[in-house]
Amino acid sequence: MPFTLIIFLLLVPGFVVIGVYLERKVSAFIQDRLGPMEVGKWGLLQLFADLLKLLQKEDIVPKAADRRLFLIAPFVIFISVFAGFAVVPLAPELAGSGAAVGVFFLLTIVSVDVIGLLMAGWGSNNKFALYGAMRAVAQIVSYEIPLGLSILCVVMLTQTLDLQVISYQQGIYSPETIYLFGMREFGIDVSGVGGFLTWNIVRNPFLLIAYVVFFIASLAECNRAPFDLPEGESELVAGFHTEYSGMRWALFMLSEYGMMLLVSLLGAILFLGSWNTPLPNIGPVKLADWTSGEPGTWFGYVTGIFWLLSKALFGILIQMWARWTLPRLRVDQLMYLGWKVLTPVGLVLFFISGVWRLIGI
């Protein structure tokens, strides 16, 4: 759909501009600083100055590097991250490819960035870059397990891999009856009420814990602090992208912010009602109806995009808050959290979600 493509082409670069500036200001606020203030009003043009600097930098390839792997790696990571946006629904009747197996595609294509990270580390022929790449691969492979389990909890509840269908099930336009807490025995039909009462974390309250698992695992997938060991500057200079400069280095940063947006959108879609309004209908006050446009209309597109991006931006702000608040974990702590805490919790939640689905039928 050309209209959807245009939106994504504007959305992702636009988010990078806003996200970098926002992170600098959020970190400054947390650390009682001002942040960028010199270039433009309130430092608004700082990112464009940085971009101009990167464009002018020399594209250096180390003499001993595997030139082919070194040059291709940033593009492999960039493409694998941004291909994931193809299946993200932005509003009712406004989705990219509309794939019926969107969840499966997203988990698969995003995993490809591991190959790019390993290519960057190995191709640099630098011990720090290789150590960083090995850390990144071990970390991402380990945390994909609890991430996948938390997503499967939602799939168990919704009985579909289509992200647009999952979105429709969490609002007033749901094609099926939605009962409070997913319990038919209660007999409380909230399909016409909408709002947060129809979100997946309310349909199955245990999914709130699953969302916490998803959020922690997504931080590790993005290599964001406190899980930024692959880029540990106190140990590895800059990790897997130590030897990169100019726009190739910028591609790594662009991919990181793209991944932040992608996992935040996915979390909003799976757990927080997707593009549906959080405001419920309360008697004669039809808040859900007033803040939700009919599917296929311009008002529906605008409200859907607004609510989805608002929820995603909330998740991104939490990511930034965590980065500038929590200290970096050690490698053993990172693996302990992934294998001995999050994975068992994910397995228990997966079992509970199956039982909850059976009870609710």
Side-chain angles (χ1 to χ4, degrees):
M1 186 177 180
F3 181 60
T4 309
L5 179 61
I6 292 171
I7 291 177
F8 276 119
L9 289 176
L10 294 174
L11 172 64
V12 179
F15 166 72
V16 173
V17 173
I18 296 171
V20 172
Y21 178 79
L22 187 63
E23 177 141 36
R24 286 171 166 172
K25 285 297 186 181
V26 168
S27 64
F29 176 77
I30 291 173
Q31 298 176 344
D32 199 19
R33 298 184 285 108
L34 292 177
M37 292 291 289
E38 298 298 325
V39 186
K41 185 72 171 177
W42 303 306
L44 288 170
L45 299 178
Q46 182 64 54
L47 180 67
F48 298 99
D50 293 339
L51 180 61
L52 186 63
K53 177 188 71 173
L54 289 171
L55 285 169
Q56 296 178 76
K57 280 198 170 186
E58 184 180 357
D59 185 16
I60 299 171
V61 180
K63 185 176 180 180
D66 186 322
R67 185 177 181 86
R68 183 176 299 176
L69 289 181
F70 184 86
L71 295 179
I72 293 175
F75 295 98
V76 172
I77 298 172
F78 179 83
I79 292 171
S80 67
V81 170
F82 285 88
F85 287 96
V87 294
V88 174
L90 289 174
E93 305 298 329
L94 184 61
S97 66
V101 288
V103 174
F104 181 72
F105 172 82
L106 205 52
L107 288 174
T108 304
I109 196 67
V110 169
S111 301
V112 176
D113 77 329
V114 174
I115 300 173
L117 294 174
L118 195 56
M119 288 169 62
W122 181 267
S124 296
N125 196 20
N126 175 299
K127 66 174 68 176
F128 294 120
L130 183 58
Y131 285 154
M134 292 172 66
R135 281 186 178 185
V137 172
Q139 173 176 310
I140 292 174
V141 169
S142 298
Y143 278 81
E144 276 182 350
I145 296 173
L147 182 77
L149 287 171
S150 63
I151 292 174
L152 282 175
C153 292
V154 177
V155 173
M156 184 84 74
L157 174 68
T158 59
Q159 299 290 292
T160 180
L161 294 172
D162 191 330
L163 291 171
Q164 188 69 294
V165 174
I166 293 173
S167 301
Y168 270 109
Q169 290 182 8
Q170 299 180 77
I172 56 176
Y173 300 119
S174 174
E176 58 187 52
T177 304
I178 303 174
Y179 294 98
L180 187 63
F181 302 126
M183 294 293 184
R184 188 184 298 270
E185 286 79 4
F186 288 170
I188 303 176
D189 183 0
V190 293
S191 304
V193 177
F196 67 92
L197 294 175
T198 54
W199 291 2
N200 282 335
I201 57 172
V202 176
R203 293 173 64 193
N204 179 354
F206 289 99
L207 288 185
L208 183 58
I209 305 173
Y211 179 62
V212 174
V213 173
F214 172 89
F215 183 80
I216 296 172
S218 68
L219 284 178
E221 289 284 313
C222 298
N223 290 330
R224 297 279 299 179
F227 303 103
D228 58 341
L229 277 78
E231 305 169 12
E233 66 279 351
S234 60
E235 307 160 13
L236 304 175
V237 184
F240 55 85
H241 55 70
T242 297
E243 299 289 355
Y244 285 88
S245 62
M247 287 308 296
R248 294 189 191 278
W249 178 86
L251 281 177
F252 284 109
M253 294 300 101
L254 188 63
S255 300
E256 178 180 324
Y257 278 89
M259 179 68 95
M260 286 173 60
L261 178 61
L262 184 60
V263 297
S264 297
L265 286 171
L266 182 60
I269 292 168
L270 295 176
F271 298 95
L272 304 178
S274 188
W275 37 256
N276 290 289
T277 175
L279 305 174
N281 290 327
I282 306 173
V285 184
K286 304 293 185 180
L287 296 177
D289 293 341
W290 297 338
T291 56
S292 300
E294 288 286 338
T297 64
W298 283 102
F299 186 63
Y301 294 154
V302 171
T303 55
I305 293 172
F306 171 78
W307 289 122
L308 180 61
L309 292 184
S310 298
K311 296 168 187 176
L313 185 60
F314 174 76
I316 290 166
L317 287 173
I318 301 296
Q319 288 182 354
M320 293 178 180
W321 185 13
R323 173 178 180 177
W324 296 100
T325 305
L326 302 176
R328 181 180 297 135
L329 297 178
R330 299 195 312 265
V331 176
D332 61 306
Q333 292 172 330
L334 179 131
M335 289 301 173
Y336 179 88
L337 179 64
W339 288 105
K340 293 189 175 182
V341 178
L342 296 183
T343 299
V345 169
L347 287 169
V348 171
L349 289 171
F350 181 64
F351 173 75
I352 292 174
S353 295
V355 173
W356 198 271
R357 173 68 184 180
L358 288 173
I359 294 174
I361 294 177

